[in-house]
Amino acid sequence: MPDRLLRINAYTTFDMLDGTATGHDFEEDAFAVLNVTAPRKNPDHVKLEFELDNTQLAHLPAHADRVTLSAEQARTLAGELEKYADRVEAAQADE
């Protein structure tokens, strides 16, 4: 992603995922970056950041999406991810 907005380094949570942008009249697939951070000094939130590789997109300009979560919201999200990860693993074990 040569024109990326998010900083990518050895600590980036996921630097190469499959992503999709969906609009009312389009759907585009592209490589994606997903990162989770918190401020180093006096952390008061968790930040979730997502960016699609804009060189693979025709409908969207370069952009990054960010969500700021409280500690409680981050734990709720983590719990939901665990629940659905267990569901996927169970389905794959049945195959």
Side-chain angles (χ1 to χ4, degrees):
M1 293 173 36
D3 190 26
R4 70 183 75 141
L5 300 169
L6 298 180
R7 175 178 282 212
I8 310 302
N9 59 37
Y11 302 104
T12 302
T13 309
F14 294 105
D15 60 358
M16 187 67 78
L17 298 172
D18 294 327
T20 302
T22 304
H24 287 291
D25 59 349
F26 72 91
E27 183 168 300
E28 294 183 292
D29 296 322
F31 292 122
V33 171
L34 179 65
N35 197 34
V36 179
T37 61
R40 288 181 188 226
K41 294 182 181 180
N42 303 317
D44 61 347
H45 66 277
V46 175
K47 185 169 31 177
L48 181 64
E49 301 174 302
F50 180 76
E51 180 180 6
L52 292 172
D53 181 353
N54 67 309
T55 64
Q56 297 180 294
L57 300 175
H59 291 89
L60 294 174
H63 73 286
D65 296 305
R66 293 178 174 91
V67 176
T68 301
L69 305 168
S70 67
E72 181 180 347
Q73 290 168 326
R75 285 189 183 92
T76 298
L77 176 60
E80 288 294 300
L81 290 169
E82 286 285 340
K83 178 173 77 176
Y84 287 102
D86 291 344
R87 188 177 184 185
V88 169
E89 284 179 340
Q92 290 175 347
D94 291 342
E95 291 178 1

